Amino acid sequence: MSDHPLRVAVLGGPGTYTDAAAGTFFGDSIQIIGKSDFDGIFEAVSTGQVERGIVPIENSLAGSIHRNYDLLLRHDLSIIGETQIHIAHQLIALPGVELADVKKVYSHPQPLAQCEQTLSNLLPEAEQISARDTVSSVKQLIEQNITDGAALASERAAQIYNLNIIKANMQDNSENYTRFVAISPEPVAPPADAKTSIVYSMDNLPGSLFKSLAVFALRDIDLTKIESRPLQGKRWQYFFYIDFLGSMAEERCQNALNHLQEITTFFKVLGSYPRGC
Amino acid sequence: MSDHPLRVAVLGGPGTYTDAAAGTFFGDSIQIIGKSDFDGIFEAVSTGQVERGIVPIENSLAGSIHRNYDLLLRHDLSIIGETQIHIAHQLIALPGVELADVKKVYSHPQPLAQCEQTLSNLLPEAEQISARDTVSSVKQLIEQNITDGAALASERAAQIYNLNIIKANMQDNSENYTRFVAISPEPVAPPADAKTSIVYSMDNLPGSLFKSLAVFALRDIDLTKIESRPLQGKRWQYFFYIDFLGSMAEERCQNALNHLQEITTFFKVLGSYPRGC
């Protein structure tokens, strides 16, 4: 047992949504290590710089965060848990800056997408500038003394940096939740109420997706998510990412996955972990 | 029969990839009407300002263009055809600007995503700024005389605006193809070699996706694409978008879709059209 607190890599630092998810999942007795992008989080866990990482995987409005699906495939890490948090984006600016002054909106591409309609009604002419994370966009306002711009970030980010919220709750839909997964070099022993995440690809044969879903349906295993991502370099072929309710410790799930491997050309278990949402 | 050439709404204007796709699909005897975003293309076709529109729907590297899936759902238009074009992004700058000068990269979010790794190796510190389309980002360089930035756009865009390509073929993977669909207020009579696109949602019951795919598998109907999008306001529920080989004029396809409607809570045919890719 190490004598330092659990080190967890998050996007950005205090005040990002990833930071909030780390607190929800791991509690307060952790050491937060900020990274400038999702690749950096996976790298830090892979190289042992930190014990754990946490990344957003899906938003209830904008859909999947594809970069993290691609990184889960590329790195040899395990999903050890999941959590979801409610997202509310605030339009944040330096003291004295008013809505009419805003010519540029800074944020991570995901919040920009989630506020798309509100932004196009409220600030149709504003330039949208991508930041590495929501808190970086807030810090950028301060460091560059930007008086013709604003950032989209959490209320907590506004508090930490002592800036003004010039327009609250910018998200197009209040039913805005993001699901995060915690990643670790080693898998956890899955509990009874578990979820398992896998990825696979198949030769592009007629009915192949149907056959692959049959291995679950025939065993009454419920799917909670299916996502397809392009297979790089193979035009119009896909990896399928599936979440199902069940644990790798259960015989029926092992049987289903053995059956699946009879028909897949690539197969990987991303993790079997306590069901959190 | 009207006496003016067919009017086709595209993203931006001459030199965008959408413009190139319009030329490939409709030929040269058309009048191109540029729109500033995908919403504007759908609006123009819906209101009768133009007879046709063309939008990207999927890229072989970055995946689906979700905005256009959402817009197909929202508007009462029909897909009447498809085409694909090879994508090569050039880093374009004003005369005299060199790679070392580039602190900002302007483009549409999709090209930025497709050049993600090249950009992070070549210009790790560069700010990425979203433009409405690739050609707008090129025009922005000229209009604002930007000497510390460059745009990602096609070779044709560089030629039209007489700018320099300071780094060619920026895309992370040369197998970069985009599939476009042509949209019209009225459906076409589908030919023998047709593709059909549909969207549906179901109550979130165990095995429901499997059951919905069974209606195709039981009739040997091949799927070419499946995409899930969040159902707005219903946490972790989805619309499924499916393309299958077959025409609405075929009895087995009509039977499959009647069968599908027995188990769906929402169902819509987006179009049945000549197979183009």
Side-chain angles (χ1 to χ4, degrees), chain A residues 81-134:
Chain A
E82 62 176 357
T83 189
Q84 69 177 23
I85 64 171
H86 184 241
I87 304 287
H89 301 302
Q90 319 300 330
L91 192 67
I92 297 170
L94 294 183
V97 175
E98 291 175 20
L99 197 56
D101 304 325
V102 176
K103 304 279 177 289
K104 294 170 183 174
V105 179
Y106 298 77
S107 197
H108 187 266
Q110 188 78 358
L112 289 169
Q114 290 167 7
C115 301
E116 187 185 23
Q117 289 179 35
T118 310
L119 282 173
S120 97
N121 291 334
L122 201 65
L123 298 164
E125 299 301 321
E127 200 167 69
Q128 296 184 14
I129 301 180
S130 301
R132 291 179 184 279
D133 59 80
T134 51

Side-chain angles (χ1 to χ4, degrees), chain A residues 18 20-27 52-58 69 72 78-85 178-184 188 191 193-198 222-225 242-246 270-277, chain B residues 236 238:
Chain A
T18 324
T24 304
F25 188 79
F26 293 107
R52 302 285 185 269
I54 195 156
V55 292
I57 200 76
E58 186 183 9
Y69 276 95
L72 280 169
S78 288
I79 298 175
I80 59 162
E82 62 176 357
T83 189
Q84 69 177 23
I85 64 171
T178 296
R179 180 179 161 234
F180 293 81
V181 294
I183 51 175
S184 160
V188 284
D193 189 16
K195 195 184 272 188
T196 298
S197 298
I198 61 168
D222 298 345
L223 306 187
T224 59
K225 169 91 215 252
I242 279 181
D243 293 342
F244 63 84
L245 299 183
L270 298 173
S272 197
Y273 47 88
R275 185 183 182 186
C277 43
Chain B
W236 313 139
Y238 306 93

Side-chain angles (χ1 to χ4, degrees), chain A residues 58 84 127 132 235 238, chain B residues 58 84 124 140 235 238:
Chain A
E58 186 183 9
Q84 69 177 23
E127 200 167 69
R132 291 179 184 279
R235 210 185 315 177
Y238 306 92
Chain B
E58 186 183 10
Q84 68 177 23
Q140 205 174 344
R235 209 185 316 178
Y238 306 93

Side-chain angles (χ1 to χ4, degrees), chain B residues 141-211:
Chain B
L141 299 179
I142 299 169
E143 285 160 10
Q144 300 176 15
N145 191 32
I146 293 167
T147 54
D148 64 346
L152 288 171
S154 68
E155 189 176 351
R156 189 165 140 72
Q159 287 164 352
I160 290 172
Y161 291 95
N162 210 16
L163 298 192
N164 293 340
I165 294 173
I166 57 172
K167 186 86 187 174
N169 297 319
M170 292 283 292
Q171 63 272 13
D172 295 340
N173 191 312
S174 62
E175 276 289 313
N176 189 348
Y177 292 84
T178 296
R179 180 179 161 233
F180 292 81
V181 293
I183 51 175
S184 161
E186 298 296 332
V188 285
D193 189 16
K195 195 185 270 188
T196 298
S197 297
I198 60 168
V199 52
Y200 60 89
S201 59
M202 293 171 292
D203 281 330
N204 199 7
L205 298 173
S208 58
L209 176 61
F210 176 73
K211 284 180 195 162

Side-chain angles (χ1 to χ4, degrees), chain A residues 132-198:
Chain A
R132 291 179 184 279
D133 59 80
T134 51
V135 166
S136 291
S137 67
V138 170
K139 284 198 269 192
Q140 204 173 344
L141 299 179
I142 299 169
E143 285 161 9
Q144 300 176 15
N145 190 33
I146 293 167
T147 54
D148 64 346
L152 288 171
S154 68
E155 189 176 352
R156 190 166 140 71
Q159 287 164 352
I160 291 172
Y161 291 94
N162 209 16
L163 298 193
N164 293 341
I165 293 174
I166 57 173
K167 186 86 187 173
N169 297 319
M170 291 283 292
Q171 62 274 11
D172 295 338
N173 190 312
S174 62
E175 275 289 313
N176 189 348
Y177 292 84
T178 296
R179 180 179 161 234
F180 293 81
V181 294
I183 51 175
S184 160
E186 298 295 333
V188 284
D193 189 16
K195 195 184 272 188
T196 298
S197 298
I198 61 168

Side-chain angles (χ1 to χ4, degrees), chain B residues 125 172 211 225 231 267:
Chain B
E125 299 301 322
D172 295 340
K211 284 180 195 162
K225 170 90 215 252
L231 236 153
F267 170 81

Side-chain angles (χ1 to χ4, degrees), chain A residues 225-244:
Chain A
K225 169 91 215 252
I226 180 166
E227 179 67 37
S228 58
R229 290 288 299 147
L231 235 153
Q232 304 262 318
K234 304 242 179 162
R235 210 185 315 177
W236 313 138
Q237 289 199 41
Y238 306 92
F239 285 116
F240 292 101
Y241 291 82
I242 279 181
D243 293 342
F244 63 84

